[in-house]
Amino acid sequence: MIVTACVLVSLGAVIVSISKAIYRSSELKKIKSAGDLFISCITDSYSEDKNSYLNSAEYYGYKLASEQEIRIYMFDADGKCLVSPFGDKKNSKAMSKGTMSSLEEDDFLGLNSEFLSQNVPSLMYMTKFFLKDTDNKFTPRYIIAAGTTDNVDNFNIAVLIAYTSSALLLFAGCFILFRKKIEANMKFEAEFLRIVENYSKDDFSEKISTDISPNLIQICDLVNTLASNVEKSEEVSRTFIANVSHELRTPMTTIGGFVDGILDGTIKKSRQQEYLILVSQEIQRLRILISSMLNMSRFESGTMRPNFQETNLTELVIKVVLMFEKRIEEKNLQVEELDSRRITAVADADLMQQVVYNLVENAVKFVNEGGTLSFTFDKKDDICIIGIRNTGEGLNDNEIPQVFNRFYKTDSSRGKDTTGLGLGLSISRKIVHLHHGHIVVKSVQGEYTEFQIQIPEDCTLGEKEKKD
């Protein structure tokens, strides 16, 4: 409002000054026109009768003074006043030599406070002209046409009053507009604070309104996005804790039950070896589960450092497949293309084995009974490609983009996959990314699902590029 007031005051000063100058200029033109008309009339009267022209001059001066409030003074070559308003020649001042000298060069048209009154300035037109008689003799004369500044002052006051009234209305309008804006912003700030406080209390039920000024919309969108991400993160954390608790509880309960049964004699000695094998399997399951969670934590914290070395990827895949030999036989599966070309790469053998293990486990888990597991090994443009395909139900278009998300399980897999957390594919993708490669999935629903691992032949080159 202070800025608005300063702008209005400055603008008012400019407008009043310009208006005053324009009006004063028009008044001066009016006085000059009257003076020139007086000179024309006197010149004509002098040419007709030089002895009586002063009477005509007195008459014209009187008319201009009474009708247009313009006072006419005429002086001879010596500066003596010959004509004055209302015939008051005796009390009129003589024209100074300096004034007459200046009129030799140019006319005067402007504001003057010296000739008539030193206290009250007048609008004045002064000029020199010549009267021509019948003998072609030229007689010099000087006139002063003067008018008061009352009209200019009154006009200036009228403009000032009009502008002040308009400025006050505009100022009041700005005040109302700014006040509404400030009140809206204060209301928004209070609402913003309330909702953000709810966010700090894990209450994400409300979103911040974006029906506000454009410069705040982006902030609100970012805060809403942040709240959504935190809400999703909280949901993921709760899901993670619930799943981990469930997955840990099941093998721990099994192990505890079998061990207690062996200790208290409930399980006969003849079957203890059988139950110890089951205990070993459950411990192995716990080890894999804990290892997966630790690896996920290391990936997300950035502390995982691969140990790159020359690795035979084909032999690595064969080694992993042999781990599932019993399950492959139980499901009567056909294994194809496992003896195709050998490919090698500079990679972390242990991490790549975990990737292959996760993918093969997935394939064995979801392949149909009597189905087929097929493997491909290829190398294109220094990129090693390993493909692992299984026949079966496959994935629909909505499931494909989500299979690498943490804890994600497709609807069709929930009944079949009762032992996993849904971390395997997520961990596999992170490991492949550490090797500066990609893992992609292809699937035709009702026919097959295929995962492809694509890594550079020398993964250390990517590490060097990152350092550079």
Side-chain angles (χ1 to χ4, degrees):
M1 293 307 299
I2 292 174
V3 171
T4 302
C6 292
V7 170
L8 290 175
V9 170
S10 301
L11 184 63
V14 172
I15 290 175
V16 171
S17 298
I18 293 175
S19 300
K20 181 179 179 180
I22 293 173
Y23 188 76
R24 186 173 65 184
S25 177
S26 67
E27 288 292 294
L28 286 171
K29 288 180 181 179
K30 177 181 174 182
I31 292 172
K32 184 178 182 300
S33 297
D36 291 339
L37 177 62
F38 177 83
I39 292 172
S40 176
C41 294
I42 294 306
T43 301
D44 291 341
S45 298
Y46 186 83
S47 62
E48 292 175 2
D49 185 1
K50 63 179 181 180
N51 295 320
S52 62
Y53 83 97
L54 288 177
N55 294 329
S56 298
E58 293 282 355
Y59 173 75
Y60 293 134
Y62 174 80
K63 291 285 288 184
L64 289 172
S66 59
E67 294 179 3
Q68 298 188 29
E69 297 183 354
I70 298 175
R71 294 162 291 171
I72 300 294
Y73 299 85
M74 188 171 71
F75 305 87
D76 61 14
D78 297 325
K80 181 182 178 182
C81 183
L82 300 176
V83 176
S84 65
F86 308 108
D88 190 17
K89 295 182 287 185
K90 295 180 179 180
N91 296 325
S92 298
K93 293 171 60 177
M95 182 173 283
S96 66
K97 296 295 182 181
T99 302
M100 289 190 293
S101 177
S102 65
L103 294 178
E104 296 290 337
E105 299 177 2
D106 195 10
D107 297 342
F108 174 82
L109 182 64
L111 198 65
N112 185 283
S113 59
E114 295 180 359
F115 182 75
L116 298 179
S117 173
Q118 293 184 353
N119 297 323
V120 181
S122 300
L123 300 175
M124 197 171 291
Y125 169 59
M126 295 187 291
T127 186
K128 179 181 179 181
F129 68 100
F130 294 91
L131 297 176
K132 179 182 177 182
D133 57 16
T134 54
D135 298 332
N136 288 329
K137 183 180 179 180
F138 292 92
T139 304
R141 293 289 184 266
Y142 301 89
I143 72 157
I144 295 177
T148 65
T149 58
D150 293 345
N151 290 340
V152 176
D153 293 338
N154 292 336
F155 176 79
N156 194 36
I157 292 172
V159 170
L160 185 60
I161 292 173
Y163 179 78
T164 302
S165 301
S166 302
L168 287 174
L169 289 175
L170 182 60
F171 187 82
C174 290
F175 177 79
I176 294 172
L177 180 64
F178 292 157
R179 181 174 180 177
K180 287 184 178 179
K181 185 69 175 177
I182 291 170
E183 287 177 348
N185 285 343
M186 291 176 66
K187 182 179 179 182
F188 168 75
E189 289 174 4
E191 189 72 5
F192 185 91
L193 180 61
R194 183 183 64 80
I195 295 176
V196 170
E197 285 179 350
N198 289 340
Y199 289 168
S200 68
K201 300 174 183 176
D202 297 333
D203 179 5
F204 302 99
S205 58
E206 289 186 86
K207 298 299 179 189
I208 300 171
S209 172
T210 55
D211 186 19
I212 50 173
S213 58
N215 60 323
L216 292 175
I217 290 177
Q218 188 176 6
I219 296 175
C220 295
D221 286 338
L222 290 174
V223 173
N224 286 334
T225 302
L226 177 62
S228 298
N229 291 340
V230 172
E231 186 176 15
K232 290 178 182 178
S233 178
E234 290 289 330
E235 181 62 30
V236 168
S237 297
R238 285 193 290 269
T239 303
F240 175 79
I241 292 171
N243 288 337
V244 169
S245 299
H246 173 74
E247 293 298 330
L248 290 176
R249 186 186 302 114
T250 302
M252 291 297 292
T253 302
T254 302
I255 292 170
F258 290 162
V259 170
D260 289 341
I262 292 172
L263 292 175
D264 62 18
T266 304
I267 298 175
K268 297 178 181 179
K269 289 187 177 181
S270 59
R271 300 195 62 187
Q272 286 182 1
Q273 183 68 23
E274 176 186 348
Y275 281 96
L276 286 174
I277 293 173
L278 294 176
V279 169
S280 177
Q281 291 175 348
E282 291 297 320
I283 291 174
Q284 179 66 17
R285 178 182 169 190
L286 277 176
R287 184 182 297 112
I288 293 173
L289 177 61
I290 294 171
S291 176
S292 296
M293 289 187 292
L294 289 175
N295 282 339
M296 180 63 74
S297 176
R298 291 168 66 192
F299 287 134
E300 294 185 344
S301 64
T303 58
M304 175 68 76
R305 294 291 180 267
N307 179 26
F308 293 121
Q309 58 185 351
E310 188 76 21
T311 303
N312 189 319
L313 298 177
T314 306
E315 290 183 0
L316 187 148
V317 173
I318 294 173
K319 178 181 176 182
V320 171
V321 173
L322 290 175
M323 297 179 184
F324 293 90
E325 183 176 8
K326 183 179 179 181
R327 292 171 62 181
I328 290 173
E329 291 177 355
E330 288 175 353
K331 298 187 76 170
N332 194 26
L333 304 179
Q334 295 291 325
V335 180
E336 298 178 350
E337 305 296 333
L338 198 58
D339 57 349
S340 57
R341 65 180 292 188
R342 298 296 187 261
I343 58 173
T344 61
V346 178
D348 187 309
D350 292 335
L351 291 178
M352 289 307 301
Q353 180 174 339
Q354 185 175 355
V355 174
V356 175
Y357 184 93
N358 290 337
L359 296 181
V360 173
E361 183 184 37
N362 232 43
V364 173
K365 192 178 295 182
F366 300 114
V367 68
N368 56 310
E369 290 283 342
T372 302
L373 298 179
S374 55
F375 299 84
T376 57
F377 304 90
D378 199 3
K379 186 179 291 186
K380 295 180 180 178
D381 300 327
D382 297 327
I383 299 296
C384 298
I385 303 173
I386 303 173
I388 302 173
R389 176 186 290 203
N390 66 276
T391 57
E393 295 181 10
L395 303 170
N396 62 44
D397 293 339
N398 294 328
E399 293 171 337
I400 290 176
Q402 303 182 68
V403 292
F404 294 106
N405 293 343
R406 289 188 300 172
F407 313 118
Y408 178 76
K409 292 185 179 182
T410 64
D411 293 336
S412 60
S413 72
R414 294 183 186 278
K416 300 176 183 179
D417 183 12
T418 59
T419 62
L421 272 175
L423 289 174
L425 292 179
S426 180
I427 291 175
S428 297
R429 181 172 64 173
K430 292 182 181 297
I431 292 175
V432 173
H433 286 175
L434 278 178
H435 286 74
H436 312 290
H438 302 281
I439 181 169
V440 296
V441 59
K442 302 176 182 178
S443 183
V444 176
Q445 197 166 14
E447 295 185 17
Y448 72 89
T449 299
E450 180 179 6
F451 287 88
Q452 275 192 1
I453 305 168
Q454 303 172 0
I455 61 172
E457 186 176 8
D458 188 351
C459 298
T460 59
L461 295 178
E463 290 294 309
K464 292 177 181 178
E465 290 177 2
K466 283 174 64 178
K467 292 178 181 178
D468 293 342

